[in-house]
Amino acid sequence: MTSATIHLVAPTSAERALLRLAARVTAHVEQRVARRAERRELALDRLRERQSRRPEPIRYERVLQDLGSRML
């Protein structure tokens, strides 16, 4: 192997800088994906909780019927 070949194998400072930039961008994107997944999970939990507190439609209609029959 000649010295020219060895020199070409090592990344240049520009290539190293680009690799560092790519690593930072990748880390940033991974953090955003993780935060988005957390927010989505929280939103789904809130939705499930809200839906579980919602009155049952059949039960609600029975109550309305009872109220209607009392008013007659």
Side-chain angles (χ1 to χ4, degrees):
M1 223 192 267
T2 64
S3 61
T5 306
I6 293 172
H7 180 65
L8 291 176
V9 171
T12 63
S13 60
E15 290 170 334
R16 284 192 301 271
L18 287 173
L19 288 171
R20 282 193 305 270
L21 176 64
R24 275 191 245 132
V25 168
T26 301
H28 177 71
V29 169
E30 287 173 350
Q31 286 176 351
R32 286 186 62 194
V33 167
R35 277 184 274 162
R36 184 176 293 153
E38 289 173 11
R39 285 193 309 264
R40 183 171 185 254
E41 188 63 35
L42 288 173
L44 286 173
D45 286 344
R46 278 183 290 200
L47 179 63
R48 281 188 212 107
E49 182 180 328
R50 211 176 320 144
Q51 287 177 341
S52 69
R53 283 189 276 148
R54 188 180 299 171
E56 297 174 21
I58 295 172
R59 192 176 196 185
Y60 187 67
E61 285 182 19
R62 285 184 188 156
V63 171
L64 288 177
Q65 286 175 352
D66 287 344
L67 287 174
S69 65
R70 290 182 189 162
M71 296 203 145
L72 293 177

